[in-house]
Amino acid sequence: MPVFAVKGTHDLFGEEASCYAYIENVFKAVCELYGYKPIETPVLEYTEVFDRATGESSDVVRKEMYTFLDKGSRSVTLRPEGTAGVIRSIVEKKLYATVDLPLKTYYVGPVFRYERPQLGRYRQFIQAGVEAVGVDSPRLDAETIILAMRVLGMLGFDKLKVKVNTLGDQASRAAYKEALKSYFSEHIDDMCEDCHERLRLNPMRILDCKVEEDQKIVAGAPKMKDYLSQEAEKRFYETLSILNDLNVDYEIDDTLVRGLDYYGHIVFEVHAQSDTGADYGALLGGGHYDGMLNMFGGPKDNDSGVGFAMGVERIYSLMRDNNMLNDIETGLDIYAMPLGEDVRDDLFHIVEEIRTLGYSVEIPFTSLKMSSMFKRAERAKAKFALICGSEELERGVVQLKNLATKEQVEASIETLDATLDELFGEEQEEHHHHNHEE
Ligand code: AMP
């Protein structure tokens, strides 16, 4: 009987897996550029971690978590997002007890949500995210958005839609929730079942409702901006003016509330257009939060944070649709071709030396015909073939064939490092030149 992957999960292999690794590496490199350091927390947490941080009224916590009792009858959950576990860890390990605030962390890893699988929506997917905690500053909030934009910029995205909104401070949100409560109470009979519960738990969640028929009612709801305290409003415009200064193009979307309960002040989402017209949903989302460290038993002061998470699957899908993956170099530098069994040992040695120089090399493990080796080299997208028979070995040389231009040079094994540096240097220039002509 065949066995299949769990519904909503997916295997990663081949070129797609290489592209994921590329996206994750770009993300990590940009995080390091902003002084962020990696953090890894368990996929499995006590359920309470998400009940507390993510908020019991959020859809994610109410309906989408993979929660089960372990063999010791403790309720555990596969993380549905990254922030709660990171904050739990920061508090538990007292990482916040440093003078070097903000504490800047980044992570990449799988998260799990029991959602209906569809385009851009999986049950296991990869989030790459950052959390910066311990400093309450519009500048830090802005920097986080700028970091996110730089990741997407480095990946080659240009036409991006950045939506921002403010959820204000506690007082603003309390006033706004009251206003929403009385507005939606009048319309709730015409709204979906979920909205009935949202009205009870947190009326702001209704603004996130995806049900078509509810949209008209949602559109007429009171706006956050009319309930902002003066301070919260000032704070929002401070953040926006920093974004303006750095030429971040955004639009204010006053229906943006984000799916999780812990946000305050600025929240944001980034969307991109697929050339195929497919809509995968937001590429990334995040925002500022207050009070979360304290929620886990941490300090009350310096208890602000800001972060975002991006979905690697969605980024990959868009890059594929928009032909942005072509420039990702996954090819091999050199494919080594032993001519005959008696050179195999020596060539194996030479190949290892070349790897020490930093060039990627493959060598076949079975004896193959020349033509098969060239086919393999082509499939591996190798730039050069390194050909060596016993006659070459005796003279202390190998043949290096540029597989694009078919030019072949003989190189002394003794000075192979210099020859390779020279050949690959030219190759780089050619490549550059080529790209600029296009
Ligand atoms: P959220 O934590 O809901 O704000 O999600 C952050 C990002 O994760 C989104 O912008 C998406 O890129 C990605 N994401 C959320 N849910 C899914 C899902 N079910 N499948 C794939 N990616 C997702």
Side-chain angles (χ1 to χ4, degrees):
M1 246 230 311
V3 183
F4 303 103
V6 171
K7 184 176 175 190
T9 70
H10 62 108
D11 299 311
L12 259 188
F13 50 86
E15 255 180 278
E16 191 175 346
S18 300
C19 291
Y20 273 58
Y22 171 81
I23 294 167
E24 291 169 18
N25 287 338
V26 168
F27 169 76
K28 290 174 186 173
V30 173
C31 288
E32 295 280 343
L33 205 57
Y34 286 79
Y36 283 72
K37 294 294 165 206
I39 187 165
E40 284 187 42
T41 63
V43 165
L44 200 60
E45 295 274 0
Y46 289 122
T47 303
E48 198 192 336
V49 168
F50 306 107
D51 282 346
R52 272 200 212 185
T54 313
E56 282 166 296
S57 78
S58 81
D59 280 0
V60 170
V61 168
R62 282 190 307 121
K63 298 190 302 204
E64 298 172 0
M65 294 204 308
Y66 278 89
T67 296
F68 55 94
L69 293 180
D70 69 8
K71 290 189 195 302
S73 299
R74 284 167 292 252
S75 180
V76 291
T77 294
L78 298 177
R79 65 178 174 206
E81 52 98 35
T83 307
V86 168
I87 302 300
R88 193 269 310 139
S89 168
I90 288 174
V91 171
E92 185 179 334
K93 297 292 165 349
K94 295 197 166 54
L95 305 180
Y96 57 80
T98 164
V99 287
D100 301 316
L101 295 172
L103 178 69
K104 291 172 155 181
T105 61
Y106 69 88
Y107 61 87
V108 178
V111 302
F112 302 80
R113 291 183 194 174
Y114 196 77
E115 296 190 85
R116 196 168 66 79
Q118 50 189 298
L119 192 67
R121 217 167 267 291
Y122 299 86
R123 288 183 171 172
Q124 177 178 339
F125 58 98
I126 302 169
Q127 278 192 345
V130 308
E131 309 297 340
V133 305
V135 169
D136 188 1
S137 149
R139 191 171 293 285
L140 180 60
D141 294 351
E143 188 190 75
T144 308
I145 298 177
I146 291 162
L147 186 165
M149 297 311 287
R150 192 189 284 272
V151 172
L152 296 173
M154 297 277 275
L155 290 171
F157 286 94
D158 49 8
K159 283 174 284 208
L160 292 167
K161 193 158 158 183
V162 185
K163 296 183 189 177
V164 301
N165 191 22
T166 178
L167 303 182
D169 47 28
Q170 280 267 309
S172 317
R173 278 196 301 284
Y176 186 46
K177 278 182 191 174
E178 278 310 310
L180 286 179
K181 203 177 231 162
S182 58
Y183 171 80
F184 284 121
S185 296
E186 283 176 28
H187 297 88
I188 196 67
D189 293 342
D190 302 323
M191 302 189 76
C192 73
E193 269 312 302
D194 280 338
C195 280
H196 283 74
E197 203 174 344
R198 290 179 185 127
L199 179 60
R200 200 165 53 76
L201 291 169
N202 179 357
M204 276 170 78
R205 289 277 84 82
I206 297 180
L207 303 181
D208 250 355
C209 180
K210 301 285 184 295
V211 176
E212 185 103 19
E213 298 84 68
D214 289 6
Q215 296 308 307
K216 245 211 182 102
I217 300 170
V218 168
K223 301 287 182 241
M224 180 79 230
K225 62 172 182 285
D226 298 323
Y227 295 86
L228 284 181
S229 67
Q230 246 179 14
E231 261 172 45
E233 188 172 7
K234 181 163 161 274
R235 159 92 185 219
F236 186 43
Y237 285 100
E238 256 176 72
T239 316
L240 295 185
S241 92
I242 299 168
L243 293 178
N244 290 339
D245 285 347
L246 282 144
N247 295 319
V248 176
D249 227 355
Y250 58 81
E251 61 187 61
I252 297 173
D253 176 349
D254 47 26
T255 64
L256 182 65
V257 291
R258 310 266 313 127
L260 309 176
D261 269 356
Y262 44 64
Y263 291 110
H265 294 298
I266 198 159
V267 291
F268 55 92
E269 267 184 13
V270 180
H271 296 250
Q273 197 78 39
S274 162
D275 289 351
T276 67
D279 181 7
Y280 300 102
L283 278 185
L284 64 87
H288 175 102
Y289 46 85
D290 293 298
M292 222 192 319
L293 269 67
N294 187 240
M295 221 175 335
F296 282 102
K300 257 202 164 74
D301 44 333
N302 297 334
D303 190 11
S304 295
V306 55
F308 70 81
M310 61 186 213
V312 177
E313 280 79 0
R314 292 188 187 177
I315 291 185
Y316 169 78
S317 302
L318 273 157
M319 290 180 71
R320 184 199 51 208
D321 289 1
N322 297 1
N323 284 320
M324 292 159 64
L325 295 169
N326 304 337
D327 267 354
I328 302 174
E329 203 50 80
T330 51
L332 206 56
D333 292 323
I334 297 163
Y335 195 89
M337 304 181 175
L339 300 183
E341 285 308 297
D342 44 340
V343 297
R344 199 172 275 284
D345 283 347
D346 286 294
L347 198 50
F348 196 72
H349 222 91
I350 295 170
V351 159
E352 203 50 37
E353 293 285 318
I354 298 175
R355 288 177 180 142
T356 308
L357 299 173
Y359 294 103
S360 56
V361 197
E362 266 242 79
I363 180 167
F365 289 89
T366 50
S367 92
L368 295 172
K369 282 192 302 212
M370 204 60 179
S371 57
S372 319
M373 288 195 280
F374 272 107
K375 279 190 193 126
R376 283 195 183 209
E378 194 181 323
R379 285 194 296 269
K381 298 201 181 97
K383 298 188 187 73
F384 286 87
L386 182 148
I387 306 158
C388 181
S390 48
E391 187 263 334
E392 272 93 1
L393 262 191
E394 262 160 42
R395 292 196 289 122
V397 299
V398 294
Q399 306 292 335
L400 286 166
K401 180 167 186 171
N402 184 319
L403 291 170
T405 65
K406 311 291 180 214
E407 274 169 71
Q408 187 165 317
V409 296
E410 187 169 284
S412 142
I413 294 170
E414 198 107 294
T415 56
L416 200 52
D417 51 345
T419 314
L420 288 176
D421 286 349
E422 197 178 308
L423 288 174
F424 278 92
E426 280 170 19
E427 170 76 10
Q428 281 272 301
E429 262 171 40
E430 274 287 304
H431 190 74
H432 242 102
H433 191 63
H434 191 69
N435 277 354
H436 278 282
E437 272 178 357
E438 277 174 353

